[in-house]
């Protein structure tokens, strides 16, 4: 993340991320949140490998504070005998003790990684709440700032803490679905409930997304909320974000609004595709129809998509192999096309050209342009990786990388959407854009900028 320069007030620089505490008292908080998000990223990867190696049911109990793994031969024997009392053992009776150790360590590592994330987050939250105080040493920082936590962010941090705590409970709830007495005698491979797997993954992705969004918000808080010092007494006091929005022409704002809508659509599609991937994994649907683009020589294998024995019929959407895989294919393709489309629209449109940035009139900032390139590239690579994973019958290395790729696409989308915040309705209303609804819809002709006072944060003026 780039450090601000002395020309930070230049509109052509866009809306920079402020990662140095000398110009942003909230930077330590933002960097801590992004560090925590990277740990969640790693935990999702370990969880994916745990599922792919069929290790998730190796630990048959759950202790909130965790425990060390077995060490001695006797301890391993006791743990292995406990595992043999549960349904999965019926289908894996050829397993040796060494093979059991392998799957046990994956599940144990996944659980302990979750506790490490919780410890890092909880300790960091307590530190920034009660101990850390920013050292104000630069004139560009308001002197009244006494906390690294921006106004209004404590509630977000509390929500994140609750989500993290709930995640452990959801994980054990998921594992229990594969340990129940009702699973003895199953003809199909013992797996956890795909619904609970999707809930577990969805909670992790939601936590990751909120961590990234909140971290980016903290790193850009001065740009967004602190009023820039007016050069003249009669001049309006606007934040750098509001100043950028105010300087854009109505046509540029309309284009930025459309790009932002496209990026948010892509983020939504990415989330749905990730959840549909959980159902593919939960039903082991990736090991069927290993051709592309057709499925058994058909675009839509209708005969295979509805199982008459499933009641009610909506269960086919989440439990029938052909339907589950078809849904994932369609959503993955829609996500890639949406990402590439919005990237092209944002970068190639006359209003989005970088040549206009020098005049402060481009509808896309340098941050947005980088985000669009990354989003389009990541989504294209992710779709290609998904096809390769399918055609090769889901090898562990490709499948695990494919799952990580989904988070890369999501991260690019979140960064780009955050970079486009200057085109949001809330910011436009604060700088008194004339008839916001008409500017957003493309109507109203002029969309002039009113000269009335702007609404800015209630913190002191930022001198730059």
């Amino acid at each position: 993340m780039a450090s601000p320069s002395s020309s930070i007030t230049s509109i052509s620089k866009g809306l920079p991320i402020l990662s140095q505490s000398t110009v942003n008292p909230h930077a330590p908080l933002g960097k801590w949140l992004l560090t925590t998000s990277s740990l969640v990223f790693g935990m999702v990867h370990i969880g994916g490998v745990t599922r792919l190696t069929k290790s998730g049911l190796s630990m048959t109990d759950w202790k909130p504070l965790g425990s060390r793994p077995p060490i001695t031969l006797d301890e391993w024997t006791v743990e292995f005998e406990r595992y043999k009392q549960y349904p999965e053992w019926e289908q894996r009776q050829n397993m040796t003790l060494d093979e059991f150790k392998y799957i046990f360590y994956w599940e144990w590592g996944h659980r302990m990684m979750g506790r490490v994330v919780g410890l890092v987050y909880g300790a960091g939250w307590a530190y920034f709440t009660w101990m850390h105080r920013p050292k104000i040493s630069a004139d560009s920082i308001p002197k009244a700032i006494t906390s690294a936590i921006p106004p209004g962010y404590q509630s977000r941090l509390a929500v994140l803490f609750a989500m993290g705590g709930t995640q452990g409970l959801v994980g054990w709830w998921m594992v229990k679905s594969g340990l129940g007495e009702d699973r003895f005698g199953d003809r199909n491979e013992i797996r956890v409930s795909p619904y609970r797997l999707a809930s577990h993954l969805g909670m992790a992705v939601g936590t990751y997304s909120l961590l990234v969004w909140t971290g980016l918000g903290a790193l850009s808080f001065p740009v967004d909320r602190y009023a820039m010092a007016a050069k003249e007494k009669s001049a309006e006091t606007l934040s750098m974000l509001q100043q950028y929005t105010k300087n854009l022409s109505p046509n540029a704002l309309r284009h930025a609004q459309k790009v932002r809508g496209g990026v948010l659509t892509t983020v939504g599609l990415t989330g749905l595709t990730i959840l549909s991937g959980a159902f593919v994994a939960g039903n082991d649907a990736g090991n069927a129809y290993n051709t592309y683009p057709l499925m058994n020589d058909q675009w839509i294998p209708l005969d295979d998509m509805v199982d008459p024995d499933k009641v009610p019929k909506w269960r086919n959407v989440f439990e029938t192999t052909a339907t589950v895989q078809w849904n994932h294919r369609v959503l993955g393709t829609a996500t890639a096309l949406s990402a590439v489309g919005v990237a092209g629209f944002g970068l190639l449109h006359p209003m989005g050209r970088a040549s206009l940035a020098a005049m402060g009139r481009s509808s896309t900032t340098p941050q947005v342009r980088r985000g669009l390139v990354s989003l389009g590239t990541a989504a294209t690579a992710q779709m290609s990786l998904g096809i390769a994973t399918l055609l090769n019958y889901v090898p562990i290395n490709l499948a695990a990388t494919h799952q990580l790729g989904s988070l890369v696409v999501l991260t690019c989308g979140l960064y780009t959407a955050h970079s486009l915040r200057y085109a949001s309705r809330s910011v436009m209303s604060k700088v008194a854009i004339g008839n916001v609804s008409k500017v957003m819809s493309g109507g109203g002709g002029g969309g002039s900028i009113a000269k009335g006072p702007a609404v800015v944060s209630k913190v002191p003026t930022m001198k730059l």
Side-chain angles (χ1 to χ4, degrees), residues 11 16 44 105 119 150 152 164 191 195 268 338 342 347 355 378 404 432 452 457:
I11 296 299
V44 171
Y105 273 125
L119 181 61
R191 291 190 294 266
Y195 299 97
S338 176
V342 73
L347 295 170
S355 59
L404 282 185
S457 175

Side-chain angles (χ1 to χ4, degrees), residues 238-384:
L238 301 175
S239 70
M240 190 173 180
L241 171 66
Q242 294 164 341
Q243 189 66 53
Y244 189 88
T245 301
K246 182 177 180 180
N247 283 1
L248 289 177
S249 68
N251 286 336
L253 275 175
R254 280 194 288 271
H255 177 247
Q257 272 285 340
K258 292 177 181 178
V259 174
R260 184 171 183 269
V263 171
L264 291 175
T265 298
T266 303
V267 170
L269 285 171
T270 303
L272 288 175
T273 305
I274 291 173
L275 290 179
S276 74
F279 284 99
V280 170
N283 291 281
D284 203 22
N287 284 309
Y289 306 99
N290 299 95
T291 57
Y292 189 86
L294 302 180
M295 299 174 64
N296 279 2
D297 299 321
Q298 301 177 74
W299 288 105
I300 306 176
L302 291 175
D303 294 339
D304 298 339
M305 294 178 73
V306 179
D307 183 350
D309 295 330
K310 291 193 184 299
V311 179
K313 295 298 183 183
W314 61 260
R315 289 176 54 197
N316 285 280
V317 176
F318 305 104
E319 299 178 29
T320 301
T321 297
T323 308
V324 167
Q325 192 188 118
W326 188 84
N327 290 342
H328 191 58
R329 289 185 182 214
V330 170
L331 284 169
T333 302
T335 300
L337 291 176
S338 176
V340 173
V342 73
F345 179 69
L347 295 170
L348 302 179
H349 192 279
M351 284 286 101
R353 291 176 181 171
S355 59
L356 294 176
M359 299 178 288
R361 298 298 182 182
S362 175
S363 61
T364 57
T365 66
Q367 295 77 24
V368 171
R369 289 192 287 276
R370 286 195 295 268
L372 290 173
V373 171
S374 300
L375 179 60
T377 302
T380 302
Q382 172 67 355
M383 182 176 176
S384 302

